[in-house]
Amino acid sequence: RLLHNSMYFLTCFCCSHPTSCCSVAEIMSVLFFHTMKYRPDDPSNPSNDRFILSKGHAAPVLYAVWAETGYLKESELLNLRKVDSILEGHPVPKQQFVDVATGSLGQGLGAACGMAYTGKYFDKASYRVFCLLGDGEMSEGSVWEAMAFASYYQLDNLVAILDINRLGQSDPTPLQHHVEKYQRRCEAFGWHAVIVDGHSVEELCKVLNQPRHQPLAIIAKTIKGKGIPAAEDKMGWHGKPLPKDMAESVIKELQSRILSCNKRLYPSPPNEDASPVSLRNIRMPSAPSYKAGDKIATRKAYGIALAKLGRYNEHVVALDGDTKNSTFSELFKNEHPNRYVECYIAEQNMVSVAIGCAVRDRNVVFASTFATFFTRAYDQLRMAAISESNINLCGSHCGVSIGEDGPSQMGLEDLAMFRAIPTATVFYPSDGVSTEKAVELAANTKGLCFIRTSRPENSIIYNCNEDFHVGQAKVVYKTNDDHVTVVGAGVTLHEALAAAEQLKKDRINIRVIDPFTIKPLDSKTIIDNARATRGRIITVEDHYYEGGLGEAVCSAVVNETGFTVHRLAVSQVPRSGKPHELLRIFGIDRDAIAHAVRKVLSSSANAK
């Protein structure tokens, strides 16, 4: 019992969630010093068993474990949550022994599914994945999405340990200590579920040694605050450090037991059967093969590009949420079925699985669905940023241009959503060539990458040898005497080009810019070209006004004197209709652009 006693000591002494840590001390002891196979001096070893602390507020017990292994100095534990320490209040990957950030509850099991799927089907290695969940987060639907995924794919290398300590933060949990109900629920989702006394080292060792034929759920009945008499199984202690006198009393009692035994346990080494992986230089084998005048929807160009990338790069994998015949990720599935993961209509879990598949740089991951459905997974996306995850998301069916399906299917908030994520790169390609280039660039760009694709077919506008870079815009139409700079993307770029032809008949010339990436935005190209049009800029986007292309351009030119930005965007919740009707109704088609140009020029003339 030395190890769990020492963890009591460490967590009681220095943490703000001592009761949550104490309920899992025996579980952590058994996992890390009996069951898991790993090299404590090399936490990132690809053959190590994996561990995710989904109940991330219990981070101090995780840090105590790694101090027991010798990887952390015990003195470092006393710096917990200090600004100059790596030991933050919740686990983050700046700690080498942490694969994904946790703390927003209900997400750890989904990431564990991605890691287990990678281990079983991609790496074909023997490492196992262990995820420790709190009973409070079992109310999150994302947990049950992950449960269904693991059962469907028979992830027998995955173990979920449920810490059923009865008490949440402000109330008892809904099922409290009715562990049989948890068992029946897990079994209903296709897991082998076993109830144990979570404070019995013997029971934990026995169940973790059982043969595996399906995902295993260990339902551990525990006491919150175990080992702290005044706090055991009592409300009001969640997230609170012990008062000094109480902590000293508990520590004194535990020290008497710790010092009476100097035996030390060491984890078993892993089977070194996870092959090294290199994700450098994931490139297309050739330039795009489109011809001038061809028409293709960027959503289809995405599928073609992804299949092509996968053809020459064996570590590219694709996920989708039952929209593969709309996002065209089915082209990847048809060509590379062993590297395609169907996540069905569970977008939260799909993003978590993507995060799990990408950890330790095992795969280049692309996940796709309608752009609007990523809103459902926004918490998972922001946690992906905190996890320093490298994942690529493709959102199709953006804007009113999808037509008859109506507003529930129209991605009109997605640019704002992804622009707000600090690690995100936002691609908005406008033809087949730029879409293929976006896919290749995303595969080699750190952080989250979002590729926004459209439903309508549009003409190829770029030469197949055109060079593209993140943060580099393209001037796609210009003369020596342009009056207004128009910035459009996707379908609105083509509308802007059509407006340019209309206006030319009246001897009004406009300069048309394709930003290619909305984040980072090529401010220099926009500013330099807008100067040539006396600071007159019009932005046009198939997106709501808030947070999209127009606001990005406004931010880029805010410090420029003499610049004006006139914005065209979708101003209200749209409706069903034909694409061209909706572009006209919401004032983002060629006629609206031409009218806006004339209005801007008229205002400039009147100002003089």
Side-chain angles (χ1 to χ4, degrees):
R1 304 293 177 121
L2 165 67
L3 293 167
H4 77 263
N5 285 339
S6 64
M7 279 180 238
Y8 279 144
F9 167 73
L10 292 164
T11 55
C12 288
F13 186 73
C14 64
C15 88
S16 61
H17 285 88
T19 56
S20 295
C21 292
C22 290
S23 67
V24 296
E26 289 88 354
I27 293 170
M28 295 292 282
S29 298
V30 171
L31 279 177
F32 277 83
F33 297 97
H34 167 268
T35 304
M36 289 173 55
K37 297 180 179 180
Y38 64 101
R39 296 192 178 279
D41 59 340
D42 184 15
S44 298
N45 187 303
S47 295
N48 284 350
D49 284 347
R50 273 73 159 153
F51 174 78
I52 293 180
L53 183 67
S54 191
K55 48 174 283 179
H57 51 281
V61 75
L62 178 64
Y63 305 154
V65 164
W66 283 97
E68 283 290 334
T69 69
Y71 183 79
L72 291 175
K73 294 180 180 178
E74 287 193 8
S75 59
E76 179 60 26
L77 297 176
L78 302 183
N79 295 321
L80 175 71
R81 307 208 304 182
K82 293 181 179 177
V83 72
D84 56 351
S85 171
I86 66 165
L87 303 184
E88 296 196 10
H90 291 77
V92 290
K94 67 181 63 174
Q95 303 146 4
Q96 289 297 308
F97 47 84
V98 171
D99 287 315
V100 296
T102 56
S104 184
L105 294 176
Q107 299 187 28
L109 189 59
C113 283
M115 297 161 76
Y117 191 101
T118 294
K120 181 170 182 176
Y121 295 108
F122 298 148
D123 287 345
K124 295 181 172 59
S126 59
Y127 63 79
R128 299 169 71 189
V129 181
F130 299 85
C131 182
L132 178 57
L133 300 94
D135 48 357
E137 66 183 304
M138 300 302 291
S139 293
E140 290 280 6
S142 55
V143 171
W144 300 100
E145 289 183 8
M147 282 272 184
F149 180 95
S151 171
Y152 181 77
Y153 287 110
Q154 286 295 290
L155 300 181
D156 53 3
N157 57 346
L158 176 61
V159 179
I161 305 99
L162 281 53
D163 174 28
I164 310 301
N165 66 25
R166 194 183 76 83
L167 301 178
Q169 176 172 328
S170 63
D171 258 324
T173 56
L175 300 183
Q176 298 197 39
H177 269 151
H178 294 290
V179 288
E180 296 81 6
K181 292 183 179 180
Y182 285 104
Q183 183 181 39
R184 289 197 294 271
R185 291 184 181 187
C186 292
E187 288 174 343
F189 274 80
W191 287 57
H192 178 52
V194 180
I195 297 171
V196 299
D197 176 354
H199 299 298
S200 169
V201 171
E202 292 77 13
E203 286 189 34
L204 289 165
C205 289
K206 182 178 178 181
V207 72
L208 284 164
N209 277 340
Q210 289 184 355
R212 309 183 306 276
H213 304 289
Q214 64 193 111
L216 172 63
I218 298 174
I219 301 163
K221 185 176 181 179
T222 63
I223 301 299
K224 196 165 185 174
K226 178 71 171 177
I228 308 173
E232 280 191 3
D233 199 34
K234 291 183 173 61
M235 289 298 304
W237 284 100
H238 183 91
K240 294 180 180 179
L242 303 184
K244 184 178 179 181
D245 58 342
M246 185 186 297
E248 288 175 347
S249 175
V250 171
I251 291 168
K252 185 176 181 180
E253 168 63 22
L254 294 174
Q255 276 183 316
S256 67
R257 284 182 272 165
I258 294 171
L259 295 177
S260 65
C261 177
N262 56 14
K263 182 180 179 182
R264 194 175 186 92
L265 298 180
Y266 297 93
S268 299
N271 299 321
E272 300 286 351
D273 56 2
S275 302
V277 171
S278 175
L279 301 183
R280 294 182 180 179
N281 203 31
I282 304 294
R283 301 296 180 191
M284 291 290 188
S286 60
S289 57
Y290 297 103
K291 298 177 183 177
D294 285 352
K295 282 194 170 186
I296 188 170
T298 53
R299 62 172 177 148
K300 185 173 183 179
Y302 165 78
I304 293 171
L306 188 59
K308 181 179 177 181
L309 189 69
R311 199 175 305 148
Y312 297 93
N313 300 276
E314 64 178 348
H315 296 295
V316 173
V317 302
L319 289 67
D320 202 287
D322 194 33
T323 57
K324 57 185 174 291
N325 56 344
S326 292
T327 63
F328 282 91
S329 67
E330 67 178 0
L331 300 178
F332 184 96
K333 179 191 177 184
N334 293 341
E335 195 166 330
H336 318 288
N338 294 332
R339 287 186 275 136
Y340 173 84
V341 187
E342 179 56 66
C343 295
Y344 298 99
I345 304 172
E347 292 85 5
Q348 294 179 76
N349 190 59
M350 181 178 73
V351 172
S352 290
V353 170
I355 294 168
C357 286
V359 299
R360 303 193 188 188
D361 293 330
R362 304 304 291 172
N363 303 292
V364 176
V365 182
F366 286 81
S368 52
T369 185
F370 286 16
T372 194
F373 300 149
F374 279 118
T375 58
R376 187 187 296 263
Y378 193 66
D379 193 20
Q380 281 75 9
L381 293 169
R382 74 176 190 89
M383 288 302 294
I386 298 170
S387 293
E388 302 174 16
S389 184
N390 301 315
I391 57 173
N392 307 297
L393 300 312
C394 178
S396 71
H397 290 63
C398 63
V400 300
S401 58
I402 75 165
E404 290 86 347
D405 280 348
S408 69
Q409 312 299 296
M410 297 172 175
L412 288 161
E413 313 86 357
D414 51 305
L415 291 178
M417 182 171 71
F418 280 96
R419 283 184 63 227
I421 297 174
T423 67
T425 298
V426 181
F427 294 90
Y428 195 175
S430 298
D431 77 341
V433 173
S434 56
T435 301
E436 186 164 316
K437 296 291 187 176
V439 169
E440 182 179 28
L441 287 167
N444 291 279
T445 300
K446 294 293 186 182
L448 273 71
C449 290
F450 176 61
I451 304 173
R452 191 180 206 233
T453 63
S454 303
R455 189 178 190 182
E457 293 185 346
N458 286 119
S459 299
I460 298 297
I461 59 177
Y462 290 110
N463 184 290
C464 287
N465 293 317
E466 184 79 23
D467 199 21
F468 285 83
H469 298 279
V470 172
Q472 183 182 87
K474 299 288 185 182
V475 180
V476 295
Y477 191 93
K478 66 180 291 187
T479 73
N480 293 326
D481 183 29
D482 292 328
H483 302 97
V484 178
T485 294
V486 178
V487 185
V491 296
T492 63
L493 180 70
H494 294 270
E495 294 297 318
L497 291 171
E501 294 298 327
Q502 283 185 20
L503 292 164
K504 188 165 64 174
K505 297 174 184 177
D506 295 333
R507 297 183 179 181
I508 299 173
N509 297 321
I510 64 173
R511 189 162 298 190
V512 180
I513 294 178
D514 171 11
F516 182 57
T517 55
I518 308 301
K519 180 185 179 181
L521 189 72
D522 186 353
S523 302
K524 184 178 186 303
T525 293
I526 292 172
I527 291 170
D528 289 348
N529 284 276
R531 285 201 182 104
T533 60
R534 300 183 183 180
R536 295 186 287 247
I537 301 174
I538 294 174
T539 63
V540 54
E541 59 191 305
D542 198 359
H543 186 274
Y544 287 136
Y545 274 93
E546 293 77 14
L549 172 63
E551 287 197 350
V553 171
C554 285
S555 296
V557 304
V558 67
N559 293 320
E560 300 296 320
T561 57
F563 276 53
T564 59
V565 180
H566 184 84
R567 297 163 56 202
L568 304 179
V570 179
S571 59
Q572 62 192 61
V573 174
R575 50 161 299 122
S576 294
K578 295 186 182 300
H580 72 272
E581 294 174 327
L582 295 172
L583 292 174
R584 174 179 53 80
I585 289 170
F586 290 100
I588 56 174
D589 69 345
R590 62 198 65 187
D591 292 336
I593 296 169
H595 176 73
V597 168
R598 291 188 174 96
K599 184 177 179 181
V600 166
L601 292 176
S602 175
S603 298
S604 297
N606 292 336
K608 293 179 181 179

mmCIF file of all heavy atoms in Angstrom, residues 569-600:
data_model
loop_
_atom_site.group_PDB
_atom_site.id
_atom_site.type_symbol
_atom_site.label_atom_id
_atom_site.label_comp_id
_atom_site.label_asym_id
_atom_site.label_seq_id
_atom_site.Cartn_x
_atom_site.Cartn_y
_atom_site.Cartn_z
ATOM 1 N N ALA A 569 -22.682 40.715 -46.780
ATOM 2 C CA ALA A 569 -22.725 39.418 -46.111
ATOM 3 C C ALA A 569 -24.184 39.054 -45.873
ATOM 4 O O ALA A 569 -25.097 39.836 -46.171
ATOM 5 C CB ALA A 569 -21.953 39.467 -44.792
ATOM 6 N N VAL A 570 -24.402 37.872 -45.333
ATOM 7 C CA VAL A 570 -25.759 37.404 -45.039
ATOM 8 C C VAL A 570 -26.210 38.069 -43.744
ATOM 9 O O VAL A 570 -25.581 37.901 -42.697
ATOM 10 C CB VAL A 570 -25.800 35.869 -44.919
ATOM 11 C CG1 VAL A 570 -27.211 35.393 -44.580
ATOM 12 C CG2 VAL A 570 -25.313 35.229 -46.226
ATOM 13 N N SER A 571 -27.306 38.800 -43.814
ATOM 14 C CA SER A 571 -27.690 39.675 -42.701
ATOM 15 C C SER A 571 -28.707 39.076 -41.755
ATOM 16 O O SER A 571 -28.964 39.636 -40.684
ATOM 17 C CB SER A 571 -28.247 40.990 -43.263
ATOM 18 O OG SER A 571 -29.377 40.723 -44.093
ATOM 19 N N GLN A 572 -29.321 37.958 -42.125
ATOM 20 C CA GLN A 572 -30.341 37.367 -41.260
ATOM 21 C C GLN A 572 -30.430 35.878 -41.527
ATOM 22 O O GLN A 572 -29.818 35.358 -42.461
ATOM 23 C CB GLN A 572 -31.693 38.037 -41.510
ATOM 24 C CG GLN A 572 -32.205 37.858 -42.941
ATOM 25 C CD GLN A 572 -33.379 38.767 -43.248
ATOM 26 O OE1 GLN A 572 -33.249 39.986 -43.197
ATOM 27 N NE2 GLN A 572 -34.523 38.171 -43.549
ATOM 28 N N VAL A 573 -31.199 35.179 -40.686
ATOM 29 C CA VAL A 573 -31.373 33.739 -40.884
ATOM 30 C C VAL A 573 -32.018 33.521 -42.246
ATOM 31 O O VAL A 573 -33.081 34.077 -42.542
ATOM 32 C CB VAL A 573 -32.249 33.136 -39.772
ATOM 33 C CG1 VAL A 573 -32.539 31.662 -40.062
ATOM 34 C CG2 VAL A 573 -31.561 33.289 -38.420
ATOM 35 N N PRO A 574 -31.369 32.719 -43.106
ATOM 36 C CA PRO A 574 -31.881 32.548 -44.471
ATOM 37 C C PRO A 574 -33.026 31.541 -44.551
ATOM 38 O O PRO A 574 -33.610 31.150 -43.531
ATOM 39 C CB PRO A 574 -30.647 32.062 -45.238
ATOM 40 C CG PRO A 574 -29.808 31.400 -44.218
ATOM 41 C CD PRO A 574 -30.079 32.076 -42.904
ATOM 42 N N ARG A 575 -33.342 31.119 -45.773
ATOM 43 C CA ARG A 575 -34.442 30.203 -46.030
ATOM 44 C C ARG A 575 -34.064 29.300 -47.199
ATOM 45 O O ARG A 575 -32.994 29.430 -47.774
ATOM 46 C CB ARG A 575 -35.714 30.975 -46.375
ATOM 47 C CG ARG A 575 -35.522 32.024 -47.464
ATOM 48 C CD ARG A 575 -36.829 32.456 -48.106
ATOM 49 N NE ARG A 575 -37.480 31.320 -48.741
ATOM 50 C CZ ARG A 575 -38.723 30.898 -48.434
ATOM 51 N NH1 ARG A 575 -39.426 31.536 -47.517
ATOM 52 N NH2 ARG A 575 -39.249 29.852 -49.041
ATOM 53 N N SER A 576 -34.935 28.368 -47.526
ATOM 54 C CA SER A 576 -34.697 27.517 -48.686
ATOM 55 C C SER A 576 -34.928 28.292 -49.976
ATOM 56 O O SER A 576 -35.700 29.259 -50.015
ATOM 57 C CB SER A 576 -35.643 26.310 -48.663
ATOM 58 O OG SER A 576 -35.369 25.462 -47.576
ATOM 59 N N GLY A 577 -34.284 27.846 -51.021
ATOM 60 C CA GLY A 577 -34.429 28.458 -52.336
ATOM 61 C C GLY A 577 -33.316 27.990 -53.242
ATOM 62 O O GLY A 577 -32.411 27.267 -52.809
ATOM 63 N N LYS A 578 -33.362 28.388 -54.490
ATOM 64 C CA LYS A 578 -32.279 28.048 -55.402
ATOM 65 C C LYS A 578 -31.056 28.894 -55.068
ATOM 66 O O LYS A 578 -31.196 30.041 -54.613
ATOM 67 C CB LYS A 578 -32.716 28.266 -56.845
ATOM 68 C CG LYS A 578 -33.834 27.334 -57.284
ATOM 69 C CD LYS A 578 -34.138 27.488 -58.760
ATOM 70 C CE LYS A 578 -35.292 26.570 -59.165
ATOM 71 N NZ LYS A 578 -34.994 25.149 -58.912
ATOM 72 N N PRO A 579 -29.867 28.360 -55.278
ATOM 73 C CA PRO A 579 -28.660 29.100 -54.894
ATOM 74 C C PRO A 579 -28.617 30.521 -55.454
ATOM 75 O O PRO A 579 -28.329 31.470 -54.710
ATOM 76 C CB PRO A 579 -27.528 28.228 -55.457
ATOM 77 C CG PRO A 579 -28.078 26.847 -55.415
ATOM 78 C CD PRO A 579 -29.536 26.990 -55.738
ATOM 79 N N HIS A 580 -28.912 30.680 -56.737
ATOM 80 C CA HIS A 580 -28.810 32.025 -57.321
ATOM 81 C C HIS A 580 -29.857 32.967 -56.731
ATOM 82 O O HIS A 580 -29.624 34.170 -56.589
ATOM 83 C CB HIS A 580 -28.924 31.964 -58.853
ATOM 84 C CG HIS A 580 -30.301 31.656 -59.363
ATOM 85 N ND1 HIS A 580 -30.750 30.363 -59.554
ATOM 86 C CD2 HIS A 580 -31.343 32.470 -59.719
ATOM 87 C CE1 HIS A 580 -31.993 30.391 -60.011
ATOM 88 N NE2 HIS A 580 -32.384 31.648 -60.106
ATOM 89 N N GLU A 581 -31.024 32.400 -56.342
ATOM 90 C CA GLU A 581 -32.052 33.228 -55.715
ATOM 91 C C GLU A 581 -31.585 33.713 -54.347
ATOM 92 O O GLU A 581 -31.785 34.889 -53.989
ATOM 93 C CB GLU A 581 -33.347 32.428 -55.556
ATOM 94 C CG GLU A 581 -34.014 32.045 -56.861
ATOM 95 C CD GLU A 581 -35.211 31.123 -56.647
ATOM 96 O OE1 GLU A 581 -35.183 30.315 -55.703
ATOM 97 O OE2 GLU A 581 -36.175 31.231 -57.438
ATOM 98 N N LEU A 582 -30.976 32.822 -53.601
ATOM 99 C CA LEU A 582 -30.548 33.187 -52.251
ATOM 100 C C LEU A 582 -29.370 34.159 -52.284
ATOM 101 O O LEU A 582 -29.300 35.079 -51.454
ATOM 102 C CB LEU A 582 -30.187 31.931 -51.466
ATOM 103 C CG LEU A 582 -31.366 30.980 -51.208
ATOM 104 C CD1 LEU A 582 -30.895 29.669 -50.593
ATOM 105 C CD2 LEU A 582 -32.406 31.637 -50.310
ATOM 106 N N LEU A 583 -28.444 33.973 -53.211
ATOM 107 C CA LEU A 583 -27.347 34.942 -53.343
ATOM 108 C C LEU A 583 -27.902 36.326 -53.660
ATOM 109 O O LEU A 583 -27.408 37.345 -53.138
ATOM 110 C CB LEU A 583 -26.381 34.494 -54.441
ATOM 111 C CG LEU A 583 -25.554 33.238 -54.162
ATOM 112 C CD1 LEU A 583 -24.754 32.842 -55.399
ATOM 113 C CD2 LEU A 583 -24.610 33.446 -52.982
ATOM 114 N N ARG A 584 -28.958 36.371 -54.491
ATOM 115 C CA ARG A 584 -29.572 37.670 -54.838
ATOM 116 C C ARG A 584 -30.327 38.248 -53.650
ATOM 117 O O ARG A 584 -30.170 39.429 -53.301
ATOM 118 C CB ARG A 584 -30.503 37.489 -56.034
ATOM 119 C CG ARG A 584 -31.297 38.750 -56.391
ATOM 120 C CD ARG A 584 -32.184 38.528 -57.600
ATOM 121 N NE ARG A 584 -33.044 37.359 -57.449
ATOM 122 C CZ ARG A 584 -34.184 37.362 -56.742
ATOM 123 N NH1 ARG A 584 -34.582 38.468 -56.104
ATOM 124 N NH2 ARG A 584 -34.920 36.275 -56.647
ATOM 125 N N ILE A 585 -31.145 37.415 -52.982
ATOM 126 C CA ILE A 585 -31.971 37.899 -51.867
ATOM 127 C C ILE A 585 -31.100 38.477 -50.754
ATOM 128 O O ILE A 585 -31.448 39.507 -50.149
ATOM 129 C CB ILE A 585 -32.858 36.763 -51.330
ATOM 130 C CG1 ILE A 585 -33.953 36.417 -52.331
ATOM 131 C CG2 ILE A 585 -33.457 37.131 -49.969
ATOM 132 C CD1 ILE A 585 -34.722 35.151 -51.978
ATOM 133 N N PHE A 586 -29.972 37.846 -50.501
ATOM 134 C CA PHE A 586 -29.128 38.295 -49.386
ATOM 135 C C PHE A 586 -27.999 39.220 -49.835
ATOM 136 O O PHE A 586 -27.096 39.532 -49.058
ATOM 137 C CB PHE A 586 -28.594 37.085 -48.616
ATOM 138 C CG PHE A 586 -29.684 36.388 -47.865
ATOM 139 C CD1 PHE A 586 -30.265 35.238 -48.377
ATOM 140 C CD2 PHE A 586 -30.189 36.909 -46.685
ATOM 141 C CE1 PHE A 586 -31.311 34.615 -47.712
ATOM 142 C CE2 PHE A 586 -31.229 36.293 -46.019
ATOM 143 C CZ PHE A 586 -31.803 35.141 -46.527
ATOM 144 N N GLY A 587 -28.070 39.677 -51.060
ATOM 145 C CA GLY A 587 -27.202 40.758 -51.517
ATOM 146 C C GLY A 587 -25.736 40.423 -51.618
ATOM 147 O O GLY A 587 -24.877 41.270 -51.308
ATOM 148 N N ILE A 588 -25.436 39.206 -52.085
ATOM 149 C CA ILE A 588 -24.024 38.832 -52.233
ATOM 150 C C ILE A 588 -23.749 38.260 -53.630
ATOM 151 O O ILE A 588 -22.742 37.582 -53.835
ATOM 152 C CB ILE A 588 -23.576 37.821 -51.152
ATOM 153 C CG1 ILE A 588 -24.456 36.574 -51.140
ATOM 154 C CG2 ILE A 588 -23.569 38.491 -49.773
ATOM 155 C CD1 ILE A 588 -23.971 35.486 -50.185
ATOM 156 N N ASP A 589 -24.619 38.557 -54.602
ATOM 157 C CA ASP A 589 -24.391 38.077 -55.964
ATOM 158 C C ASP A 589 -23.727 39.162 -56.799
ATOM 159 O O ASP A 589 -23.397 40.256 -56.304
ATOM 160 C CB ASP A 589 -25.693 37.599 -56.599
ATOM 161 C CG ASP A 589 -26.669 38.737 -56.883
ATOM 162 O OD1 ASP A 589 -26.471 39.861 -56.340
ATOM 163 O OD2 ASP A 589 -27.623 38.518 -57.639
ATOM 164 N N ARG A 590 -23.524 38.872 -58.073
ATOM 165 C CA ARG A 590 -22.802 39.800 -58.957
ATOM 166 C C ARG A 590 -23.486 41.145 -59.081
ATOM 167 O O ARG A 590 -22.824 42.188 -59.120
ATOM 168 C CB ARG A 590 -22.605 39.146 -60.323
ATOM 169 C CG ARG A 590 -23.886 38.796 -61.070
ATOM 170 C CD ARG A 590 -23.651 37.788 -62.177
ATOM 171 N NE ARG A 590 -23.230 36.503 -61.636
ATOM 172 C CZ ARG A 590 -22.832 35.479 -62.391
ATOM 173 N NH1 ARG A 590 -22.798 35.603 -63.711
ATOM 174 N NH2 ARG A 590 -22.483 34.353 -61.835
ATOM 175 N N ASP A 591 -24.830 41.119 -59.150
ATOM 176 C CA ASP A 591 -25.550 42.390 -59.270
ATOM 177 C C ASP A 591 -25.396 43.230 -58.007
ATOM 178 O O ASP A 591 -25.239 44.458 -58.072
ATOM 179 C CB ASP A 591 -27.038 42.124 -59.534
ATOM 180 C CG ASP A 591 -27.287 41.512 -60.905
ATOM 181 O OD1 ASP A 591 -26.436 41.706 -61.812
ATOM 182 O OD2 ASP A 591 -28.304 40.820 -61.076
ATOM 183 N N ALA A 592 -25.432 42.575 -56.853
ATOM 184 C CA ALA A 592 -25.266 43.304 -55.597
ATOM 185 C C ALA A 592 -23.863 43.887 -55.489
ATOM 186 O O ALA A 592 -23.684 45.008 -54.974
ATOM 187 C CB ALA A 592 -25.542 42.374 -54.416
ATOM 188 N N ILE A 593 -22.886 43.145 -55.960
ATOM 189 C CA ILE A 593 -21.510 43.647 -55.929
ATOM 190 C C ILE A 593 -21.368 44.854 -56.850
ATOM 191 O O ILE A 593 -20.782 45.885 -56.468
ATOM 192 C CB ILE A 593 -20.518 42.534 -56.329
ATOM 193 C CG1 ILE A 593 -20.558 41.399 -55.298
ATOM 194 C CG2 ILE A 593 -19.100 43.091 -56.442
ATOM 195 C CD1 ILE A 593 -19.825 40.140 -55.737
ATOM 196 N N ALA A 594 -21.916 44.744 -58.060
ATOM 197 C CA ALA A 594 -21.843 45.866 -59.002
ATOM 198 C C ALA A 594 -22.543 47.099 -58.430
ATOM 199 O O ALA A 594 -22.036 48.228 -58.539
ATOM 200 C CB ALA A 594 -22.471 45.465 -60.330
ATOM 201 N N HIS A 595 -23.698 46.868 -57.804
ATOM 202 C CA HIS A 595 -24.425 47.990 -57.184
ATOM 203 C C HIS A 595 -23.598 48.613 -56.063
ATOM 204 O O HIS A 595 -23.532 49.856 -55.938
ATOM 205 C CB HIS A 595 -25.761 47.494 -56.642
ATOM 206 C CG HIS A 595 -26.543 48.535 -55.905
ATOM 207 N ND1 HIS A 595 -27.190 49.582 -56.541
ATOM 208 C CD2 HIS A 595 -26.756 48.705 -54.558
ATOM 209 C CE1 HIS A 595 -27.778 50.340 -55.627
ATOM 210 N NE2 HIS A 595 -27.531 49.837 -54.420
ATOM 211 N N ALA A 596 -22.955 47.791 -55.262
ATOM 212 C CA ALA A 596 -22.136 48.302 -54.162
ATOM 213 C C ALA A 596 -20.951 49.112 -54.688
ATOM 214 O O ALA A 596 -20.580 50.131 -54.093
ATOM 215 C CB ALA A 596 -21.647 47.141 -53.298
ATOM 216 N N VAL A 597 -20.351 48.651 -55.775
ATOM 217 C CA VAL A 597 -19.229 49.398 -56.372
ATOM 218 C C VAL A 597 -19.698 50.777 -56.801
ATOM 219 O O VAL A 597 -19.052 51.807 -56.516
ATOM 220 C CB VAL A 597 -18.642 48.618 -57.560
ATOM 221 C CG1 VAL A 597 -17.682 49.509 -58.362
ATOM 222 C CG2 VAL A 597 -17.926 47.355 -57.086
ATOM 223 N N ARG A 598 -20.830 50.819 -57.492
ATOM 224 C CA ARG A 598 -21.354 52.121 -57.940
ATOM 225 C C ARG A 598 -21.679 53.022 -56.747
ATOM 226 O O ARG A 598 -21.434 54.238 -56.776
ATOM 227 C CB ARG A 598 -22.597 51.905 -58.807
ATOM 228 C CG ARG A 598 -22.289 51.252 -60.156
ATOM 229 C CD ARG A 598 -23.539 51.242 -61.046
ATOM 230 N NE ARG A 598 -23.213 50.748 -62.374
ATOM 231 C CZ ARG A 598 -23.380 49.484 -62.761
ATOM 232 N NH1 ARG A 598 -23.861 48.582 -61.897
ATOM 233 N NH2 ARG A 598 -23.063 49.122 -64.003
ATOM 234 N N LYS A 599 -22.221 52.435 -55.705
ATOM 235 C CA LYS A 599 -22.568 53.216 -54.509
ATOM 236 C C LYS A 599 -21.321 53.794 -53.850
ATOM 237 O O LYS A 599 -21.300 54.962 -53.433
ATOM 238 C CB LYS A 599 -23.328 52.330 -53.531
ATOM 239 C CG LYS A 599 -23.826 53.049 -52.285
ATOM 240 C CD LYS A 599 -24.635 52.112 -51.396
ATOM 241 C CE LYS A 599 -25.104 52.829 -50.138
ATOM 242 N NZ LYS A 599 -25.882 51.922 -49.258
ATOM 243 N N VAL A 600 -20.268 52.977 -53.758
ATOM 244 C CA VAL A 600 -19.020 53.443 -53.153
ATOM 245 C C VAL A 600 -18.430 54.583 -53.980
ATOM 246 O O VAL A 600 -17.966 55.600 -53.433
ATOM 247 C CB VAL A 600 -18.019 52.276 -53.027
ATOM 248 C CG1 VAL A 600 -16.612 52.795 -52.735
ATOM 249 C CG2 VAL A 600 -18.463 51.318 -51.937
#
